């Protein structure tokens, strides 16, 4: 498909971040933009799953929340458990004092993309696919324009470029922007540096509190962390698109893989997933009869992948190469999934940045010599917010990775046991519940 030769704004990447940026531009009456993506279809794997209160509010502010609210599981709580008992539960009810959306939404990323894409199409905008950016250079005739080259030889001249093209961003690398861990080239080691995640069904289907919709369950065991989220069967059509149809409940699982176990396969097979569940998962989904009176096994492996939990942030999220160039989402920052903050930060980045871009465009129409103050201020604010979120996710990851090994010969208890005891005690107090829910919601760090 041919692209226009000129546009005011070019959005590169049509995941949740790029789609949200486009929706925010439309909401703020900016219609002269093009959104492109390198792949023929959208992201078909589920990946990120949590949308917190602050992000729902931000989407609502641009009239883009209703579709997601109608599809998602409304989360009531996040539980931290051992393999057999509850340690701590964060209930979202206290957020009613602060938000019209006192919950977390659990929804696979590909469904989020589908809903946002449908909303954008209803507003008359289509993602242009497949168009892969391969280069950028300042326009020879206008110093405020960048010529963006595509793999098929086409070129778009743009005044603003929003790079939402992921962790391996061509927009970032072509702009000469560095990307590294804020703690430096040798950050402290963490036991949970590699993880696997998968969508699965079980036979027979598990029973018990952890199998109920509306709760995200994190199991800590032997210095490891295991994630379990029941989706029910409301996303089966989207998640089973390339597999055998099923009416069974689909569960998202995630598990850290100790370095001593070696590197996990790129797409872990069913047997590997079963081994991780039996080693580290909550008792109710294991096949071990000594742990689970009604043993269950993985029936269908819908999707699986591996990833590393490292953090990195762009040296800056705004620069000029002729056009004003911005980085959002994974192009600007990556970090561990602890706390479910990544996609939330990215979506809010996109909404607030696109508003600033629309405002700058309007001012430029009246004053062509306007400086970049508006753009630099929002870029600096989002960069600072990303640093805060990276620190928050690292703290959560460090807490999850504490081991049950004895601290020392003179102190026979473990650091993890002390953590669990403190959490069990603190979890009885409403003000602690409220504080943790507030921290996860993003309402205090929009």
């Amino acid at each position: 498909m041919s692209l226009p030769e000129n546009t005011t704004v070019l959005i590169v990447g049509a995941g949740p971040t790029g789609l949200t940026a486009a929706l925010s531009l439309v909401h703020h009456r900016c219609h002269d933009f093009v959104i492109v993506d390198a792949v023929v279809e959208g992201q078909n794997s589920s990946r990120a799953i949590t949308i917190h209160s602050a992000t729902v509010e931000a989407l609502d502010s641009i009239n883009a929340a209703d579709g997601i609210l109608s599809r998602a599981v409304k989360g009531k709580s996040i539980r931290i458990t051992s393999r057999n008992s509850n340690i701590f539960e964060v209930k979202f009810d206290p957020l009613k004092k602060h938000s019209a959306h006192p919950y977390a939404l659990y929804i696979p990323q590909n469904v989020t993309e589908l809903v946002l894409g449908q909303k954008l199409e209803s507003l008359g905008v289509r993602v242009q696919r497949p168009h892969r950016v391969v280069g950028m250079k300042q326009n020879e005739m206008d110093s405020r324009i960048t010529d963006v080259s595509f793999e098929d030889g086409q070129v778009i001249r743009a005044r603003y470029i929003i790079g939402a093209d992921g962790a391996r961003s061509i927009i970032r690398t072509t702009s000469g922007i560095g990307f590294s861990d804020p703690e430096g080239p040798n950050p402290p080691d963490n036991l949970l540096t590699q993880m696997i995640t998968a969508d699965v069904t079980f036979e027979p289907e598990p029973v018990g509190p952890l199998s109920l919709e509306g709760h995200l369950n994190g199991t800590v065991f032997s210095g490891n962390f295991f994630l379990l989220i029941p989706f029910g069967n409301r996303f089966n059509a989207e998640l089973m698109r390339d597999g055998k149809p099923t009416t069974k409940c689909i569960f998202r699982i995630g598990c850290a893989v100790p370095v001593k176990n070696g590197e996990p396969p790129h797409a872990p097979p069913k047997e590997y997933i079963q081994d991780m569940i039996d080693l580290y998962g909550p008792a109710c989904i294991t096949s071990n009869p000594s742990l689970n009176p009604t043993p269950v096994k993985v029936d269908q492996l819908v999707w699986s992948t591996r990833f590393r939990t490292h953090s990195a942030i762009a040296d800056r999220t705004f620069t000029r190469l002729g056009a004003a160039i911005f980085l959002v989402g994974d192009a600007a920052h990556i970090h561990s999934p602890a706390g479910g903050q990544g996609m939330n930060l990215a979506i809010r980045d996109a909404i607030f940045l696109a508003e600033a871009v629309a405002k700058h465009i309007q001012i430029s129409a009246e004053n062509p010599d306007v400086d970049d103050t508006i753009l630099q201020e929002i870029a600096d604010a989002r960069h600072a917010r990303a640093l805060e979120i990276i620190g928050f996710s690292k703290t959560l990851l460090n807490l999850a990775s504490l081991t049950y090994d004895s601290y020392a010969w003179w102190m026979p208890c473990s650091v993890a046991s002390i953590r669990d005891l403190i959490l069990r005690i603190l979890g009885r107090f409403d003000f602690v519940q409220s504080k943790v829910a507030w921290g996860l919601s993003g309402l205090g760090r929009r």
Side-chain angles (χ1 to χ4, degrees):
M1 182 180 292
S2 61
L3 296 169
E5 294 183 357
N6 300 282
T7 187
T8 300
V9 184
L10 174 64
I11 301 172
V12 181
T17 310
L19 292 169
T20 304
L23 288 166
S24 185
L25 286 175
V26 173
H27 180 78
H28 293 100
R29 298 181 177 84
C30 174
H31 299 279
D32 184 19
F33 68 87
V34 175
I35 177 170
V36 300
D37 198 89
V39 297
V40 175
E41 295 182 355
Q43 174 57 253
N44 290 326
S45 57
S46 58
R47 298 177 62 187
I49 56 166
T50 306
I51 300 178
H52 286 295
S53 295
T55 309
V56 181
E57 286 192 356
L59 286 167
D60 203 22
S61 74
I62 60 169
N63 299 320
D66 288 350
I68 290 174
L69 285 167
S70 69
R71 293 298 314 274
V73 177
K74 285 189 177 180
K76 301 171 185 175
S77 74
I78 294 177
R79 300 181 180 123
I80 304 300
T81 74
S82 67
R83 301 196 82 181
N84 294 292
S85 65
N86 194 54
I87 295 174
F88 186 84
E89 184 171 8
V90 182
K91 296 179 181 177
F92 294 120
D93 277 350
L95 298 178
K96 289 178 179 177
K97 296 181 291 186
H98 310 289
S99 174
H101 303 286
Y103 39 73
L105 299 179
Y106 302 138
I107 178 170
Q109 180 177 322
N110 63 314
V111 182
T112 298
E113 289 183 15
L114 177 65
V115 172
L116 294 176
Q118 289 172 341
K119 175 67 174 179
L120 193 59
E121 284 192 18
S122 75
L123 298 171
V125 180
R126 291 185 65 89
V127 177
Q128 304 299 309
R129 306 174 184 273
H131 295 289
R132 185 181 300 277
V133 173
V134 293
M136 299 190 302
K137 66 175 183 178
Q138 186 173 350
N139 184 270
E140 295 179 356
M141 303 297 293
D142 190 330
S143 62
R144 290 279 177 165
I145 289 177
T146 292
D147 297 339
V148 182
S149 303
F150 292 84
E151 197 171 48
D152 59 6
Q154 296 189 72
V155 176
I156 289 183
R157 291 181 285 274
R159 292 189 175 274
Y160 301 82
I161 299 169
I162 297 176
D165 52 337
R168 295 181 175 86
S169 171
I170 185 67
I171 301 301
R172 186 186 66 238
T173 54
T174 305
S175 300
I177 297 175
F179 195 58
S180 59
D181 192 299
E183 292 186 290
N186 299 301
D189 289 335
N190 189 290
L191 295 177
L192 309 183
T193 58
Q194 54 185 17
M195 296 189 73
I196 59 165
T197 189
D199 293 333
V200 300
T201 65
F202 291 101
E203 177 58 41
E205 296 199 67
V207 295
L210 301 192
S211 67
L212 300 177
E213 279 186 40
H215 305 275
L216 185 152
N217 308 289
T219 298
V220 287
F221 174 70
S222 190
N224 209 333
F225 187 77
F226 191 99
L227 191 69
L228 176 69
I229 306 98
F231 284 148
N233 54 19
R234 69 176 66 200
F235 306 122
N236 286 26
E238 292 85 6
L239 296 180
M240 302 296 296
R241 186 182 304 174
D242 300 321
K244 178 183 175 183
T246 184
T247 57
K248 286 186 173 182
C249 295
I250 295 178
F251 293 78
R252 160 62 66 86
I253 64 123
C255 183
V257 179
V259 175
K260 65 182 181 182
N261 290 16
E263 189 175 273
H266 176 71
K270 178 177 173 178
E271 296 74 19
Y272 190 95
I273 299 295
Q274 184 67 63
D275 287 344
M276 291 295 104
I277 291 173
D278 289 341
L279 282 171
Y280 303 110
C284 68
I285 62 168
T286 70
S287 64
N288 185 345
S290 66
L291 290 174
N292 187 5
T294 55
V296 301
K297 286 191 173 184
V298 173
D299 180 33
Q300 194 166 352
L301 175 59
V302 178
W303 162 84
S304 67
T305 191
R306 69 181 183 190
F307 62 92
R308 298 188 67 80
T309 62
H310 62 287
S311 300
I313 189 167
D315 295 343
R316 57 192 187 281
T317 53
F318 167 65
T319 191
R320 275 198 177 272
L321 188 66
I325 298 173
F326 305 90
L327 301 176
V328 289
D330 286 355
H333 39 69
I334 57 172
H335 51 80
S336 88
Q341 300 295 316
M343 186 173 69
N344 288 270
L345 178 62
I347 288 174
R348 298 199 297 269
D349 279 352
I351 291 171
F352 302 140
L353 171 65
E355 180 182 5
V357 168
K359 186 181 295 185
H360 194 266
I361 291 169
Q362 293 165 4
I363 295 172
S364 297
E366 301 170 2
N367 176 17
D369 297 323
V370 65
D371 63 21
D372 292 334
T373 300
I374 294 173
L375 304 178
Q376 190 64 63
E377 285 179 350
I378 189 65
D380 290 346
R382 300 318 298 170
H383 189 268
R385 184 66 72 229
L387 284 171
E388 186 179 346
I389 294 293
I390 288 173
F392 179 67
S393 68
K394 284 191 173 190
T395 297
L396 293 179
L397 194 69
N398 288 335
L399 284 172
S401 67
L402 297 177
T403 70
Y404 290 89
D405 299 329
S406 295
Y407 183 73
W409 65 267
W410 46 268
M411 186 178 177
C413 62
S414 67
V415 178
S417 297
I418 295 172
R419 172 202 62 199
D420 295 352
L421 177 61
I422 292 172
L423 288 175
R424 290 181 194 273
I425 294 170
L426 292 179
R428 300 172 184 172
F429 297 97
D430 290 342
F431 78 91
V432 175
Q433 293 271 345
S434 299
K435 188 173 180 62
V436 176
W438 173 261
L440 291 170
S441 72
L443 293 168
R445 54 165 76 90
R446 299 168 202 262

